[in-house]
Amino acid sequence: MVCRKRRKVKLLSARVVDDKTTTTKNKKVKLETQTWSDLPIELLELILCRLSLEDNIRSSVACKRWNTAAISVRVVNQSPWLMYFPKFGNMYEFYDPAQRKTYSLELPELYGSRVCYTRDGWLLLYRPRTNRVFFFDPFSQEVVKLPRFELTYQIVAFSCAPTSNTCVVFTVRHVSPTIVAISTCHPGATEWVTVNYQNRLPFVSSIWNKIVFCNGFFYCLSLTGWLGVFDPLERTWNVLAVPPPKCPENFFAKNWWKGKFMSEHNGDILVIYTCCSENPIIFKLDQPKMVWREMKTLDGMTLFASFLSSHSRTDLPGMMRNSVYFSKVRFFGKRCISYSLNDCRYYPCKQCYDWGEQDPFENIWIEPPEDLSAFI
């Protein structure tokens, strides 16, 4: 009996050893037959997001899985930088939200100036003491002067870089609810041209810029949400019969007239409404039907909102997509406050923000330079 039991134990142990050997061999064979295309998609995206655009494109032709992963993390555009205007001194800081880095640049040329607008890497600035209006490229230090003009209580924008012969500077202010004064100028002009226009609908200009240049027209959002349009070629002005965006009642409580931003993207007009107690609401103008539509997603686009000018981007790093980046940095300059439409919450903190409390002249989004060597 004892001998039989010993034999059974030996047979069982031998089977276990054989099973373990077989399992080990199977695992080894499986590992040997695995290829790079079998990497977990999360790990693959983590690797591909660190590649340059050129290497990302090369990787995307390896196989179907790699193509999907490469496109999902492909970065084609640079995000704008947030330029800070110091209260004292000539040292200006530029915050890159994609890299979470801050750069400094000394710009004594801007002393005594107030920023008005940015586009195509150019600043439009105003010196209140002398009524001097001028363009300035902070990275090349190039200056383009305009005739003197008083820019008090006006919203102002320009159509393109002042080096272009199609550049137009546009300002608007309400004289009364039914009359606006529009002034225009261009680089090389000797004076501003001002014309008063009668409105079909009431239009009271906003305090801070809610204005974009899109499809050859300047679009302006009034204090109460009506949309004015100026054609710089025909020199015509019209307030569209488009009812203002519909928001919950609590959006029109404290600072309701301040916490609004306006941008454009590929011919679409976008408006961001914020409230200190609610998440932001984004509207897009349905131009054929002339109504505002609420947007539940940005389809991968990123908006960069500030009081004086806002921007849009596509093909940014995956974590920045489908979000709105606001002009405020927390945690000692390490994190820009953003709102994710995917998660329906603010980052880095979950609570809402009262953007109406922020100084509009504190900072502005601007196109970064192509050559970063001066900042390294």
Side-chain angles (χ1 to χ4, degrees):
M1 291 293 290
V2 174
C3 292
R4 287 181 181 177
K5 287 183 178 179
R6 286 178 179 175
R7 285 177 184 176
K8 287 183 178 179
V9 170
K10 285 182 179 181
L11 288 171
L12 287 171
S13 62
R15 286 177 184 174
V16 170
V17 171
D18 288 341
D19 289 343
K20 286 183 177 179
T21 304
T22 303
T23 303
T24 303
K25 286 181 179 179
N26 289 338
K27 286 183 178 179
K28 189 175 181 180
V29 170
K30 190 176 180 180
L31 286 172
E32 288 176 352
T33 58
Q34 279 186 330
T35 65
W36 285 98
S37 62
D38 295 317
L39 280 174
I41 192 68
E42 295 82 4
L43 181 58
L44 191 56
E45 289 177 349
L46 186 63
I47 295 170
L48 294 174
C49 75
R50 298 177 181 272
L51 299 181
S52 64
L53 175 61
E54 185 178 354
D55 289 337
N56 179 289
I57 294 172
R58 286 173 178 167
S59 302
S60 67
V61 299
C63 65
K64 189 174 181 179
R65 286 185 78 249
W66 279 43
N67 179 270
T68 302
I71 291 175
S72 69
V73 298
R74 183 171 295 168
V75 179
V76 178
N77 281 330
Q78 273 188 298
S79 69
W81 287 2
L82 191 58
M83 180 180 181
Y84 277 88
F85 287 77
K87 293 183 178 180
F88 306 100
N90 299 316
M91 190 61 70
Y92 292 76
E93 290 187 339
F94 298 83
Y95 175 75
D96 179 356
Q99 300 296 326
R100 296 183 183 177
K101 290 183 178 179
T102 300
Y103 307 96
S104 297
L105 200 59
E106 192 168 4
L107 300 171
E109 300 89 344
L110 302 188
Y111 179 77
S113 301
R114 186 181 74 195
V115 65
C116 299
Y117 195 76
T118 62
R119 188 184 175 96
D120 299 336
W122 287 83
L123 298 166
L124 181 64
L125 297 125
Y126 174 62
R127 287 200 176 106
R129 290 186 178 182
T130 61
N131 289 336
R132 172 66 68 189
V133 185
F134 64 101
F135 292 99
F136 184 73
D137 183 333
F139 307 114
S140 68
Q141 274 84 58
E142 187 177 354
V143 178
V144 176
K145 294 182 179 179
L146 292 172
R148 296 176 190 270
F149 189 74
E150 187 176 3
L151 284 175
T152 305
Y153 303 116
Q154 291 174 301
I155 56 176
V156 57
F158 57 94
S159 59
C160 57
T163 50
S164 169
N165 57 10
T166 60
C167 177
V168 177
V169 184
F170 163 83
T171 75
V172 58
R173 63 180 177 85
H174 66 274
V175 178
S176 71
T178 58
I179 298 176
V180 297
I182 292 177
S183 302
T184 57
C185 193
H186 62 269
T190 57
E191 63 180 4
W192 291 71
V193 176
T194 301
V195 178
N196 286 359
Y197 292 86
Q198 190 84 28
N199 301 325
R200 289 192 306 110
L201 296 167
F203 186 92
V204 178
S205 54
S206 184
I207 303 299
W208 316 126
N209 286 353
K210 279 81 179 177
I211 180 171
V212 296
F213 183 76
C214 181
N215 300 324
F217 300 93
F218 288 99
Y219 289 84
C220 318
L221 196 70
S222 78
L223 193 67
T224 52
W226 293 94
L227 195 63
V229 183
F230 179 73
D231 183 342
L233 293 179
E234 300 295 330
R235 300 196 62 80
T236 56
W237 165 261
N238 184 29
V239 179
L240 302 180
V242 180
K246 292 182 179 179
C247 293
E249 288 296 326
N250 54 352
F251 267 68
F252 301 97
K254 182 183 177 184
N255 293 324
W256 64 270
W257 49 277
K258 287 185 179 179
K260 293 184 287 188
F261 307 89
M262 192 174 184
S263 183
E264 67 88 21
H265 180 73
N266 290 343
D268 288 325
I269 310 298
L270 308 172
V271 173
I272 307 167
Y273 274 57
T274 68
C275 175
C276 60
S277 60
E278 299 287 342
N279 288 333
I281 301 178
I282 303 172
F283 297 94
K284 181 173 75 173
L285 179 65
D286 184 339
Q287 299 187 43
K289 295 184 178 180
M290 282 297 166
V291 293
W292 291 102
R293 305 286 188 191
E294 184 177 347
M295 300 180 71
K296 298 297 185 181
T297 177
L298 294 175
D299 295 322
M301 179 176 58
T302 309
L303 296 177
F304 296 86
S306 64
F307 287 101
L308 300 180
S309 67
S310 299
H311 304 258
S312 64
R313 288 291 186 280
T314 55
D315 299 322
L316 291 180
M319 63 180 180
M320 299 183 70
R321 298 178 185 182
N322 213 36
S323 298
V324 181
Y325 277 71
F326 292 93
S327 55
K328 192 175 185 65
V329 179
R330 296 284 300 275
F331 298 108
F332 306 100
K334 295 298 183 182
R335 187 76 180 268
C336 193
I337 292 177
S338 63
Y339 176 78
S340 169
L341 275 78
N342 291 333
D343 303 331
C344 297
R345 56 157 285 184
Y346 277 101
Y347 285 94
C349 298
K350 291 185 179 180
Q351 72 266 24
C352 300
Y353 293 88
D354 185 1
W355 297 111
E357 295 289 343
Q358 188 171 342
D359 179 5
F361 301 108
E362 179 183 356
N363 51 42
I364 196 168
W365 292 106
I366 187 171
E367 302 280 347
E370 293 183 4
D371 182 12
L372 301 180
S373 58
F375 297 91
I376 299 175

